[in-house]
Amino acid sequence: KYKDISFNIQDICEAIDFYFEDSPKFRHILIGGLSNTCGKEKKIICDIIDHIRAKSDMPIYLMILPCNNVEDIDEYVRRGVTEIGFNLEIFNRNLARKYMPGKGTISLERYDKSLSRAVKLLGKKGAVRSAFVVGLESRESLLEGVEHVCKLGVAPIFSVFRPIPYTEMQDIIPPSNEDNEDQLKVFW
């Protein structure tokens, strides 16, 4: 059953401190989520980045919704973010609204502005990424989305759709592994 649990900045910093007590054995730190803190996310993200930077120069991967104000991205990079992900997940915006009623309403233009700004700041060497969920849109639409982000200098990431128990989509039969393999062969 769903529980609404909130973590404040002190909770987050405490978790970061815990992981830095031993010498960390991971390649980067991922800051993600914050999609339910609309209007507050920039301050929280900056506080988290600053706390990490006070302890480590480890790469920081920021995976968030595309910014309303693309200049926020400049601030994140200035403070120490080294990788950024703005995940389209579903390129077809009609299907995006169907499967992701909140996130699906974010315009392609907003994604493009955020992705382009991040590429301008971090380059075209894979530090800027966008994930796609394989199996929720046609192969043609997926390929169109991949081509779209690649033209911006963004590296695509693929995640095969798997329904989560106790969600509205729990009874949807996911594409077979063979179907997913055929769909992804284009990229190899």
Side-chain angles (χ1 to χ4, degrees):
K1 188 171 179 174
Y2 175 77
K3 287 184 179 181
D4 188 11
I5 300 172
S6 296
F7 298 98
N8 62 35
I9 190 66
Q10 291 80 19
D11 296 330
I12 294 167
C13 290
E14 184 179 324
I16 291 167
D17 293 345
F18 173 79
Y19 283 101
F20 277 122
E21 282 178 13
D22 282 335
S23 61
K25 296 178 179 55
F26 36 93
R27 79 172 189 88
H28 64 225
I29 297 169
L30 171 65
I31 300 172
L34 302 169
S35 57
N36 63 343
T37 59
C38 199
K40 300 176 189 172
E41 67 274 15
K42 181 181 177 186
K43 177 167 179 10
I44 295 169
I45 290 167
C46 288
D47 288 349
I48 294 169
I49 296 167
D50 291 347
H51 189 79
I52 293 167
R53 280 294 166 250
K55 301 191 171 292
S56 172
D57 62 354
M58 182 174 287
I60 298 174
Y61 181 15
L62 180 62
M63 187 186 300
I64 58 171
L65 295 176
C67 301
N68 281 318
N69 179 0
V70 293
E71 292 167 2
D72 291 351
I73 301 165
D74 298 50
E75 181 73 13
Y76 302 146
V77 171
R78 186 184 67 73
R79 288 176 183 260
V81 165
T82 56
E83 306 167 78
I84 295 180
F86 300 113
N87 298 328
L88 269 164
E89 296 176 299
I90 302 172
F91 185 68
N92 178 306
R93 301 323 290 158
N94 291 327
L95 289 175
R97 282 186 291 281
K98 174 184 175 183
Y99 291 121
M100 307 179 302
K103 185 177 183 184
T105 63
I106 299 171
S107 71
L108 186 57
E109 178 184 17
R110 184 168 150 194
Y111 276 99
D112 287 354
K113 285 179 181 178
S114 290
L115 289 165
S116 294
R117 183 62 153 243
V119 167
K120 179 181 177 185
L121 297 168
L122 296 171
K124 297 181 179 184
K125 304 269 187 202
V128 182
R129 300 185 272 287
S130 189
F132 291 89
V133 178
V134 177
L136 291 177
E137 63 186 320
S138 70
R139 178 181 184 159
E140 293 74 28
S141 181
L142 174 66
L143 290 174
E144 186 180 345
V146 169
E147 183 176 2
H148 182 85
V149 300
C150 286
K151 284 181 179 177
L152 297 174
V154 174
I157 300 172
F158 305 102
S159 181
V160 175
F161 170 72
R162 293 289 178 245
I164 299 172
Y166 309 107
T167 66
E168 290 180 28
M169 296 178 71
Q170 73 179 354
D171 295 324
I172 293 179
I173 298 172
S176 70
N177 286 338
E178 291 79 22
D179 290 342
N180 289 323
E181 185 176 303
D182 288 343
Q183 196 158 355
L184 290 173
K185 274 183 187 172
V186 174
F187 305 110
W188 312 128

